[in-house]
Amino acid sequence: MSHWANEYQVRLLNNVAIFITLAVAYNLINGVCGQLHLGPNAFITLGAYTAALLTMTPAEKTLNFLVIPLYWPLSQMTLPFPLALLAGGLVAAIFGLITGFPVFRVRGDYLAIVTLGFGEVVRALANNLQGLTNGPLGLKGLYPYTNLWWAWGVAVAAVAVVVALVNSSYGRAMQAIREDETAAKASGINTFRHLLGAYILSAFFFGVGGGLLAHLITTISPSLFSFFFTFNLLIIIVVGGLGSTTGAILAATFFTLAGEWLRVVEEPATILGHTIPGIPGMRMVILSLALLLVIIFRRRGLLGRYEFSWAGVSRLLRRASGSPASDSGA
């Protein structure tokens, strides 16, 4: 990779791939199913800690857990990275199954509050279960297993699975629930089963994405997985267009890159001889303003619910060239 990109560029590409995975998974439950879920940071936390603990050697665990030793048998277990990543996804999916039953007993604002509370509960547990997570000290010195192959391989798999699901009869039932849950239920759709399935699948990809993130940044702590993580993902899928997988991919790419480029506004600068101190958090203000502008001027997001298709590209090219459109519904 060093022949065509430096270390920083490779890291950015890895970040883009991980956020594509997370955004596509988040869009499945929020955009496709129309349920306001505010707890992806909980599942990302579970996946990150699971994958990290399972890839560390016993010696590395001893060095990290100086205050309270790590519980047995985790203290002696070490798995290859692919299995640890899969375990991270499965642990998150199991918690998705357990929490899905109470979560989908409510809807709307109540569902948002319940999932938000779950995210905070997991973060509080990560802070206090020192024998399992090392508390606020977090886990350091993780091996950087995440590379372009793993990050983009998972991203492509996540997109393929979600697109196939959305285009299936199962996915059309999810969209029917989004449009009118009462009508969907009256037509024979088991709304609880469909929503629970989407919730568990998205939790699985959140967990895998968390594992990839942990082994990209090599240091994790509970403060990393605050609600701001969920807020970033919410910005991405709203700006991209709720319900559009293509929009989620484009917005995840743009916001990940823009988040890095905007670091310059947080650094001190000298303009016309005057030194302006850096303002920490300014890039989040700019990204939030971008969200406000999109909501004001394009309420359905940049792509609405449109998806990429070669027929659509062909139509655009015909319009650009001035050729008469021979639309046949494609």
Side-chain angles (χ1 to χ4, degrees):
M1 298 301 174
S2 59
H3 296 295
W4 57 273
N6 59 38
E7 189 176 341
Y8 175 70
Q9 291 165 333
V10 170
R11 188 181 178 89
L12 273 184
L13 290 173
N14 282 324
N15 260 326
V16 168
I18 292 171
F19 272 87
I20 285 176
T21 301
L22 299 176
V24 167
Y26 196 30
N27 188 57
L28 177 64
I29 189 73
N30 273 30
V32 177
C33 296
Q35 307 299 313
L36 184 53
H37 169 22
L38 294 179
N41 58 316
F43 299 108
I44 295 168
T45 307
L46 291 167
Y49 273 96
T50 302
L53 288 172
L54 290 178
T55 52
M56 294 169 74
T57 63
E60 289 171 335
K61 291 170 184 173
T62 304
L63 284 175
N64 271 270
F65 288 81
L66 292 174
V67 180
I68 299 177
L70 177 62
Y71 297 141
W72 185 88
L74 280 173
S75 58
Q76 302 300 318
M77 287 178 64
T78 301
L79 293 179
F81 180 59
L83 292 181
L85 211 55
L86 181 62
L90 290 176
V91 168
I94 290 170
F95 273 85
L97 174 65
I98 296 170
T99 59
F101 285 92
V103 160
F104 289 112
R105 291 180 69 85
V106 294
R107 293 289 189 274
D109 297 343
Y110 299 105
L111 189 147
I113 293 169
V114 170
T115 50
L116 175 65
F118 177 58
E120 290 305 304
V121 166
V122 170
R123 198 164 68 88
L125 290 175
N127 254 321
N128 291 284
L129 292 176
Q130 283 197 297
L132 187 62
T133 64
N134 206 24
L137 297 175
L139 303 177
K140 300 178 179 63
L142 304 177
Y143 189 83
Y145 286 110
T146 301
N147 56 30
L148 290 175
W149 294 108
W150 280 114
W152 282 95
V154 170
V156 169
V159 171
V161 169
V162 169
V163 168
L165 178 65
V166 170
N167 291 328
S168 69
S169 59
Y170 207 83
R172 286 190 285 277
M174 292 176 183
Q175 294 170 56
I177 295 170
R178 175 187 64 197
E179 299 303 325
D180 191 328
E181 186 170 345
T182 304
K185 195 178 292 185
S187 64
I189 295 173
N190 186 331
T191 58
F192 175 78
R193 192 183 67 182
H194 284 77
L195 292 177
L196 183 63
Y199 187 68
I200 293 172
L201 182 63
S202 63
F204 174 79
F205 283 116
F206 287 147
V208 174
L212 287 170
L213 189 66
H215 289 90
L216 178 67
I217 58 181
T218 67
T219 298
I220 58 172
S221 67
S223 60
L224 178 67
F225 304 106
S226 67
F227 175 71
F228 283 106
F229 207 113
T230 294
F231 181 62
N232 286 340
L233 290 177
L234 190 60
I235 290 177
I236 287 171
I237 63 170
V238 170
V239 169
L242 280 172
S244 169
T245 304
T246 308
I249 295 170
L250 292 178
T253 304
F254 173 75
F255 271 85
T256 307
L257 297 178
E260 285 298 316
W261 294 333
L262 285 173
R263 286 187 187 279
V264 69
V265 302
E266 298 182 355
E267 297 173 354
T270 302
I271 301 176
L272 299 175
H274 297 282
T275 300
I276 302 173
I279 306 174
M282 179 54 72
R283 61 190 177 123
M284 287 308 301
V285 173
I286 295 175
L287 291 176
S288 300
L289 285 174
L291 173 63
L292 281 176
L293 290 174
V294 169
I295 290 175
I296 292 171
F297 296 106
R298 197 169 175 83
R299 300 190 65 177
R300 299 185 66 181
L302 296 176
L303 266 70
R305 290 176 183 166
Y306 291 107
E307 296 288 3
F308 171 84
S309 70
W310 291 112
V313 173
S314 176
R315 274 202 306 275
L316 285 175
L317 291 176
R318 281 201 300 273
R319 286 177 189 170
S321 63
S323 301
S326 56
D327 290 340
S328 57

